[in-house]
Every structure is written in structure tokens, then in C-alpha cells.
């Protein structure tokens, strides 16, 4: 199976702009989670979507939002960009229908989108 | 707020030695635990999952879980230079979903 794909791989934006990142999960996976990775804070959970519904949300401001489509593809949006939003944004998918419950927690990551805010 | 703690390292071991990586977590109700490996400039890669107390072995990797002590560890036997990476410990955010809370990772360096 093809892995998780993310587009674009690199982005440079200016403070105040907004950005949309895209994630296509592994075929058959229904859950998509988004994470922000920075050298200082490590990997931090943003939000999780399952069947087009936000199932969990991390501790990030409302400028960060996301959605999931009926084909499980997901997008995240960051509005009014700040310098501190510069990070690697990772998406991960999990949860194939019919697999054992414990297996559904195993997440597989995409290559990430490197966002630089200037 | 769930927390996952790891020593940041670096942990340096010679080739062929056993590397021992440790992780503690704050939520006593946590049920699912994972180890990811992340090479510099790459995304995290799942290497082990463990759900029950005790040991789970997969090749050169052994994960150990002690829920009473809220402690998870990863042993890498016969360490190779290719094992040099950052190892991330993760627990499930809550059992109603698959989102993960990560520790900040331990950097392992294996010298030849």
C-alpha cells in the first residue's frame, strides 16, 4: 500500500498570511491526526479526525483548524500566521476497518510539510 | 494533561552493545504505548507497540511495560550505527481516539 502523503512538502509564508496543508492517509485508514514538531517543544498533537468529525483536539489556539473529507483525506489550516508557527507539520493515519482494536491505535506518519514563516 | 517524560540524551553506546531507553507517563489509565524512531530530517517511524505488562520482542528490539510503575522501556540489542536516531515514546491521548502524546525523545548515538 502507498504510505501517507502530504502536500506541499515545503512552504514559505509571511506573518499574517494563512496556509492550508493537505494529507492523504494510507488507503483504508479512517483516522487522521495532525502534529506540530519544533526543536523546543517536540511533537505536539493538534487534532484528530475520524469519519469527517473531529474526535480529539490538542491545546492549540483557534487559528489552527482542520477538516476531513468523505474519502478520509484531511486538510489543516493556519490563519494569521505567526513566526512561532514555523515548524514541521506531520500527519498520521490509523484505523483500518476490520482490523483488531489494538492495531487501530498504530499510527503511520507522512513525510511532513516544512512551514517557514518570515 | 497527560505527560510523557524521556531523558533527552544523548545516549552513547558502542556498536554491539545494548541500548536502554526509558519513558515514564503520567496517566495511570493509559493502555497503549508506542516507540517511534526518527532519523534526522525524516518523519517518525513506528517500531514497537505494547499494550500488556511484560516484555514484547521483535528482532533486536524489546519493549517492556510496567503499568504499576507507569514505565515503558525499549531495549536495542546488538546496537548498530544505523540505530543512531531519536527515539520517541508515545501514549494514546485517550482511548476514544488514536491521537498520541509524545515524549520529547532520546537521541541515541551508536559508535563503530
Amino acid at each position: 500500500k502507498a504510505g501517507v502523503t502530504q502536500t506541499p512538502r515545503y512552504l514559505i509564508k509571511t506573518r499574517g498570511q494563512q496556509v492550508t496543508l493537505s494529507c492523504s492517509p494510507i488507503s483504508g485508514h479512517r483516522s487522521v491526526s495532525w502534529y506540530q514538531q519544533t526543536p523546543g517543544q517536540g511533537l505536539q498533537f493538534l487534532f484528530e479526525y475520524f469519519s469527517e468529525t473531529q474526535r480529539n483536539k490538542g491545546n492549540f489556539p483557534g487559528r489552527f483548524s482542520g477538516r476531513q473529507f468523505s474519502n478520509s483525506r484531511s486538510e489543516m489550516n493556519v490563519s494569521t500566521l505567526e513566526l512561532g508557527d514555523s515548524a514541521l507539520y506531520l500527519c498520521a493515519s490509523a484505523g483500518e476497518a476490520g482490523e483488531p482494536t489494538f492495531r487501530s491505535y498504530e499510527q503511520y506518519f507522512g513525510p511532513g510539510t516544512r512551514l517557514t514563516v518570515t | 494533561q497527560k505527560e510523557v517524560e524521556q531523558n533527552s540524551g544523548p545516549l552513547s553506546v558502542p556498536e554491539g552493545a545494548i541500548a536502554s531507553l526509558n519513558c515514564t507517563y503520567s496517566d495511570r489509565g493509559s493502555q497503549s504505548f508506542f516507540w517511534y524512531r526518527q532519523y534526522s530530517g525524516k518523519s517518525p517511524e513506528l517500531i514497537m507497540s505494547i499494550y500488556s505488562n511484560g516484555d514484547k520482542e521483535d528482532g533486536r528490539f524489546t519493549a517492556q511495560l510496567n503499568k504499576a510503575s507507569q514505565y515503558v522501556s525499549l531495549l536495542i540489542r546488538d546496537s548498530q550505527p544505523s540505530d543512531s536516531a531519536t527515539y520517541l515514546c508515545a501514549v494514546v491521548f485517550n482511548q476514544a481516539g488514536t491521537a498520541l502524546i509524545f515524549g520529547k525523545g532520546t537521541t541515541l548515538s551508536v559508535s563503530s
Side-chain angles (χ1 to χ4, degrees), chain A residues 2-3 12-13 28 30 36 41 47 53 73 83 103-104 108:
Chain A
I12 300 175
K13 290 287 189 178
R30 299 172 296 171
Q36 181 195 66
Q41 297 300 316
F47 29 67
T53 301
R73 190 177 71 84
L83 294 178
R103 189 74 70 191
S104 68
Y108 297 88

Side-chain angles (χ1 to χ4, degrees), chain B:
Chain B
Q1 175 90 5
K2 288 188 179 183
E3 292 184 350
V4 178
E5 300 287 341
Q6 296 180 253
N7 290 327
S8 61
L11 173 65
S12 297
V13 301
E15 184 175 356
I18 296 175
S20 177
L21 304 158
N22 304 316
C23 169
T24 58
Y25 58 94
S26 63
D27 184 359
R28 186 170 291 277
S30 295
Q31 298 291 324
S32 308
F33 307 88
F34 306 88
W35 283 99
Y36 283 80
R37 177 176 62 197
Q38 187 173 26
Y39 292 113
S40 180
K42 301 294 186 182
S43 59
E45 172 192 10
L46 178 64
I47 54 172
M48 289 289 284
S49 58
I50 187 165
Y51 306 94
S52 304
N53 278 329
D55 295 359
K56 178 183 177 183
E57 186 174 318
D58 184 0
R60 294 186 297 111
F61 298 100
T62 299
Q64 299 175 317
L65 173 60
N66 184 326
K67 290 184 180 179
S69 300
Q70 296 175 236
Y71 178 90
V72 191
S73 66
L74 180 70
L75 300 178
I76 306 175
R77 290 182 301 281
D78 188 24
S79 295
Q80 301 297 311
S82 59
D83 295 326
S84 298
T86 296
Y87 289 81
L88 300 161
C89 173
V91 302
V92 173
F93 182 79
N94 67 52
Q95 292 301 118
T98 61
L100 298 174
I101 302 299
F102 284 85
K104 291 194 175 181
T106 298
T107 300
L108 172 66
S109 176
V110 181
S111 56
S112 57

